[in-house]
Amino acid sequence: MAATMIEKLLRRNTGVETAKAGDIVTANVDRVMIHDIFIPFVKDKFEEMGFTRLWDPDKVVLIYDHLVPASQLDDPRHHRIGDAFADKYGPIHVHRSDGICHQLMTEAGYVKPGDVVFGTDSHTTTYGCVGAFSSGIGYTEMASILGTGKLWVRVPETIRVIVDGTLPPNVSSKDIILRLIGDLTAAGASYCALEFSGSTVEEMTVASRMTMANMAIEAGAKCALFTPDEKTADYCGVALTEEMTALRGDEEAHYIRTIRYQADQLVPVMACPSQVDQIRPVAELEGREIDQVFIGSCTNGRLEDLMAAAAVLKGKKVAPFVKLIVTPASRKVYLDALENGTLDILAGAGAVITHPGCGLCCGRTGGILTDGERVVATNNRNFLGRMGTSKVEIYLASPASAAAAAAAGKIVLPPAF
Amino acid sequence: MGKIFRFHTDVDTDQIIASQYLLYPTVEEMKSHAFESLDADFAARVQPGDYVVAGENFGCGSSREQAPAVLKALGVRAVVAKSFARIFFRNAINIGLPVIVCKPLYDHVSQGEEMELSLDEGTVTVNGTVYPCTKLNPYMQTILNQGGLLASLNGGEESAWE
C-alpha cells in the first residue's frame, strides 16, 4: 500500500501496519527533550500524576539554554529545580551550558533517523532534518510521557514540497523555507507533515535542512521530514541502512497538496514585521535603515551560517550605528568557528560574539530592543514583542542577508559570490 | 451566558502570555498579564464564564502550556475559533479548557455580546442565532470530559491511552 513518509515512520514505530493519515495511534517515544523554562512545570505535573520513576531515564534529555547564563533573578531557580529532578529521577542527560536544545539533540547524537521524539518547545520539528518524527508538546503531555513512554498522535496528512535545481549563490535554505511559509501562510500546514524532496534538497547539507525543518512550525506543521541519506548517516554517526533510505514517501501516496519550486528562480527574501508569513523579496525592501542585526538561533546559528555571514563581512566593517550580535548555536559551533577563523572575521568586522544559547531569539537577553528600533535577524519568529517592546520591527532573513544589512546599515541584497 | 472577548486571526502564544512572564512560579501570578499586548485590560475585565472568540490559527507559535493555562485560570469558559494551532489545541484539552472550532461564528459576532455554549449539543448561541460547532475526535473528547489529561491519568481510566 502506497504511503507517505510519516505513515511509513509511524507504522514502523507503532507496529500498526495499516496506519494512515487521520488515524490515531499510540507512539512509542524514542527520546524526549525538556528545556529550562518548562522543567519546573514538567516536574510538578509528573509528581501530581503520581509517577515515582521515569519510564526510561536514558531517553530523557534536559537542556538549559533559554536562561543560560542567567540574566534575571528568577532564572537560577529553574536550573536548581532541573538539577534536583535529575538527581532524584536520573541518571538523565543534562546539558547545562552547551548550546541550544534543538542544535544539541542532533549534534550530540540523541536523535537518529526514524526516531519519534517530543520536546517542550515548538521548534522540536527541527529533528525532521535527519528523518525523525519530532514535534512540540506542552508540559502536561511531557509529564505523561515521562511516566509512560507513550503519546497518542493523529497520523498527519502530508504536504509534499519538491525543490529542484541549483540555488543562486545569494539564496539559502532559509530563503526557501521563508518563501514556502509565505505561500502556505502561517496556518497553511496546520496539523500536517511537510515532506521535502527534490535535487536541491538532496544537495543540501544537513545543517541547511535543519533550518527548514526548524521553521516548519511557522506554517503550523506538526513535523517536517527529510529522507535520510549518506549525509544524514554521517552527521548522526551511524551506518546508513535500507530501513532508513526506505523512509521516503511513495509517488502514488496520498498528498493533500504538492508544491514545487525551481531553485534557480528563488530570490533572497525576508519575513516582514510582525508576521512570519509576510514574505517579501529583499530587493523590494532595500534601503530600510536598521539598528541591529542578530545572527544565531536554532534556525541559523550553525557553522555554515556563521561562515556565510563571514564571507559577506570579510574585509568590511559593520555600519557604525549598527550592533551586530552573533550567537553560535552550540559550544561545538563556537569552537569550530573559532578554529577556522570565522569568529576572527566576524569580531574584526565589529560583531559582538555572545555565548551559545537561545540568546536574543527568545527576547530575554543579549540585545533587547526598544520602541522604534528595527532589527534584521536570522531566527524563526518576528512576533510582536518577541525581542523587546511591541514597537520593535523584526525582519527575518538568511545569514547572508543579515550580514549584508549589518555592513550597509540598511537592508540590501546579499552579494552573489 | 458569558461575554465575548473577540480577537483577530493568527493570535500567537506571545500575545496570549508574553515570554517575560513565563518565569513567574505559578500560573496564578501570570494570569493578570494575559493578552497584555493586545488588550491591556483583558485580565481585569474578563469574568468567569466569559468566552474568547477568534479567527483562524488561534494559539500559533510556542509550545507554552501557560497560554491556555492563564485563560483557564481567569475563568474563561471556552475558546471558540475558526481554527487552532495544534500544540495550543492539545494543551488546552489536556488542562481541561474547552477549545471549540466554530467556522461561522467569528464573522457574525462582536466584542461584548452575550454567548451561550452547549458542549452536549455542540452549539453556541448568540443573539438567538445558533451556530453549529465541529465535534472533537472521541479521543480528545474523553480527555476533556474527564477534566484534562492529569485527571484522566489519575482517574484510573485506560481510555486516554489505549
Side-chain angles (χ1 to χ4, degrees), chain B residues 71-87:
Chain B
L71 300 184
K72 190 177 184 217
L74 287 167
V76 170
R77 166 108 201 280
V79 184
V80 185
K82 283 190 174 180
S83 66
F84 291 88
R86 58 165 289 277
I87 306 179

Side-chain angles (χ1 to χ4, degrees), chain B residues 7 25 27-28 34 43-44 62 74 81 85 94 97 111 114 146 154:
Chain B
F7 294 93
V27 170
E28 280 301 310
S62 159
L74 287 167
N94 283 330
L97 173 71
Q111 175 87 2
E114 295 279 331
Q146 290 169 336
N154 284 353

Side-chain angles (χ1 to χ4, degrees), chain A residues 91-335:
Chain A
I92 63 173
H93 303 276
V94 186
H95 291 268
R96 293 183 173 83
S97 62
D98 297 326
I100 308 172
C101 56
H102 303 308
Q103 178 67 18
L104 293 177
M105 287 301 284
T106 52
E107 183 189 280
Y110 294 118
V111 182
K112 306 293 184 205
D115 280 357
V116 170
V117 183
F118 294 100
T120 57
D121 190 278
S122 56
H123 294 108
T124 301
T125 54
T126 308
Y127 326 145
C129 68
V130 298
F133 166 50
S134 58
S135 201
I137 56 173
Y139 48 76
T140 298
E141 278 192 325
M142 180 55 74
S144 72
I145 297 177
L146 292 182
T148 65
K150 295 181 191 301
L151 185 71
W152 72 268
V153 289
R154 183 179 170 282
V155 182
E157 282 83 16
T158 294
I159 296 173
R160 185 164 57 158
V161 181
I162 304 169
V163 193
D164 280 313
T166 305
L167 286 169
N170 60 353
V171 176
S172 73
S173 74
K174 179 63 164 286
D175 296 295
I176 303 178
I177 190 66
L178 286 175
R179 166 73 189 271
L180 177 65
I181 293 164
D183 291 347
L184 283 169
T185 78
S190 278
Y191 302 91
C192 294
L194 288 177
E195 192 179 303
F196 292 97
S197 59
S199 65
T200 315
V201 167
E202 285 163 21
E203 285 299 311
M204 253 178 220
T205 61
V206 173
S208 293
R209 295 173 191 170
M210 207 179 282
T211 301
M212 295 172 70
N214 176 273
M215 286 198 74
I217 178 68
E218 307 310 333
K222 183 174 199 156
C223 62
L225 290 162
F226 290 82
T227 295
D229 59 12
E230 284 292 351
K231 281 183 273 198
T232 317
D234 189 44
Y235 179 82
C236 292
V238 296
L240 188 67
T241 62
E242 270 181 35
E243 204 173 55
M244 292 177 195
T245 53
L247 284 172
R248 176 185 300 279
D250 295 323
E251 275 301 315
E252 324 79 68
H254 177 66
Y255 296 95
I256 58 166
R257 190 170 171 188
T258 298
I259 297 173
R260 288 174 193 276
Y261 294 110
Q262 220 25 70
D264 45 79
Q265 289 169 18
L266 295 174
V267 297
V269 294
M270 291 189 185
C272 300
S274 292
Q275 281 158 307
V276 285
D277 56 4
Q278 298 296 309
I279 306 300
R280 291 180 63 187
V282 173
E284 292 177 14
L285 302 168
E286 279 197 308
R288 294 186 190 199
E289 293 199 353
I290 58 161
D291 302 284
Q292 187 164 296
V293 169
F294 170 58
I295 298 173
S297 84
C298 51
T299 317
N300 278 126
R302 281 170 280 283
L303 184 63
E304 69 173 28
D305 301 318
L306 305 193
M307 288 174 69
V312 173
L313 286 167
K314 191 164 191 178
K316 292 201 173 76
K317 290 282 180 197
V318 168
F321 51 90
V322 170
K323 293 158 291 260
L324 169 60
I325 295 163
V326 176
T327 304
S330 69
R331 182 188 313 286
K332 181 175 189 309
V333 170
Y334 191 109
L335 288 170

Side-chain angles (χ1 to χ4, degrees), chain B residues 131-144:
Chain B
Y131 299 89
C133 305
T134 307
K135 277 182 90 117
L136 282 178
N137 78 48
Y139 226 79
M140 297 193 112
Q141 189 67 53
T142 305
I143 295 174
L144 185 61

Side-chain angles (χ1 to χ4, degrees), chain A residues 24 26 35 37-38 41 45 48-51 67 72 74-75 77-78 119-122 135-141 144-145 148 150-154 186-187 190-191 217-218 220-222 275 277 362-364 381 383-386 390, chain B residues 8-10 12-15 18-27 30 37-38 56-57 60-67 69 83-87 89-91 93-95 101 137-140 143 148-150 153-154 160-162:
Chain A
I24 287 179
T26 301
H35 63 59
I37 292 191
F38 295 144
F41 294 89
K45 292 292 169 190
E48 275 179 57
M49 286 172 178
F51 294 122
L67 312 176
Q72 295 183 32
D74 276 338
D75 295 357
R77 185 175 59 86
H78 286 236
T120 57
D121 190 278
S122 56
S135 201
I137 56 173
Y139 48 76
T140 298
E141 278 192 325
S144 72
I145 297 177
T148 65
K150 295 181 191 301
L151 185 71
W152 72 268
V153 289
R154 183 179 170 282
S190 278
Y191 302 91
I217 178 68
E218 307 310 333
K222 183 174 199 156
Q275 281 158 307
D277 56 4
C362 64
R364 293 188 52 82
R381 286 200 176 127
F383 293 167
L384 217 57
R386 176 112 180 150
S390 55
Chain B
H8 50 84
T9 286
D10 293 332
D12 62 63
T13 48
D14 279 70
Q15 292 167 3
S19 63
Q20 63 261 41
Y21 306 120
L22 294 180
L23 274 276
Y24 289 9
T26 66
V27 170
M30 285 172 216
S37 65
L38 299 179
E56 303 279 1
N57 204 26
C60 61
S62 159
S63 67
R64 65 188 68 164
E65 192 169 313
Q66 290 89 341
S83 66
F84 291 88
R86 58 165 289 277
I87 306 179
F89 195 73
R90 279 185 85 118
N91 283 342
I93 298 288
N94 283 330
I95 63 163
V101 174
N137 78 48
Y139 226 79
M140 297 193 112
I143 295 174
L149 185 59
L150 185 71
L153 284 173
N154 284 353
W161 293 107
E162 297 300 335

